[in-house]
Amino acid sequence: MAKYYAGQDGSVELGGAPVAKVVQWSLTANTDALEVTTLDQDVREFTTGIRTASGALTVLYYDDAPVKLLNQVNQDGNTSPLASLKLKFDTKFLEFDAVLTSAELSCVVGEIMRVNVSYTMSGDFVSKSL
């Protein structure tokens, strides 16, 4: 029988350690379309080009859960420029190196503080199981 996946099946690891209190994560994969049309053609033709991926994740500011992510974005001197991320849902996962490009700390009356982190994948997937 087929299975649906839900948000509670998801999790994130940074450098092999679970990131606590993740609310959401997303990944968008893209491939450039390179035009290969020649002068004698009357319709455009394309081939695939460079692949990229980027995304975001949101972490509740619980204890010090997002501190490692914030330090990674700020490059505090004790961190590598690349972060090893593993996005998981149930037994499926996508693992890759990424540059954490931004972090937004959000404070709203009546809500728990959140850290929104954006990233861009560096290289190809290290491993994946979909």
Side-chain angles (χ1 to χ4, degrees):
M1 182 170 188
K3 177 180 179 178
Y4 291 100
Y5 296 97
Q8 65 264 25
D9 296 320
S11 63
V12 176
E13 291 181 7
L14 175 64
V19 176
K21 306 302 179 191
V22 176
V23 176
Q24 69 87 25
W25 62 258
S26 65
L27 174 78
T28 302
N30 298 297
T31 301
D32 291 341
L34 303 176
E35 186 170 357
V36 293
T37 310
T38 60
L39 293 175
D40 61 341
Q41 294 176 299
D42 60 355
V43 294
R44 294 187 184 278
E45 286 189 24
F46 294 87
T47 188
T48 57
I50 296 174
R51 295 175 292 137
T52 62
S54 60
L57 55 103
T58 301
V59 179
L60 297 179
Y61 209 119
Y62 173 82
D63 196 24
D64 64 351
V67 171
K68 191 172 179 184
L69 288 167
L70 290 168
N71 288 342
Q72 185 75 40
V73 173
N74 291 328
Q75 291 296 303
D76 68 355
N78 298 322
T79 58
S80 163
L82 293 179
S84 174
L85 288 177
K86 188 172 190 177
L87 308 178
K88 299 169 42 175
F89 55 102
D90 198 45
T91 60
K92 301 179 183 310
F93 64 89
L94 299 158
E95 187 171 11
F96 53 91
D97 292 328
V99 174
L100 303 186
T101 56
S102 69
E104 172 193 28
L105 184 58
S106 174
C107 180
V108 179
V109 173
E111 293 186 16
I112 295 173
M113 289 181 66
R114 295 171 180 243
V115 176
N116 302 308
V117 177
S118 297
Y119 62 85
T120 299
M121 186 168 79
S122 177
D124 202 355
F125 290 102
V126 173
S127 61
K128 58 185 173 181
S129 171
L130 296 177

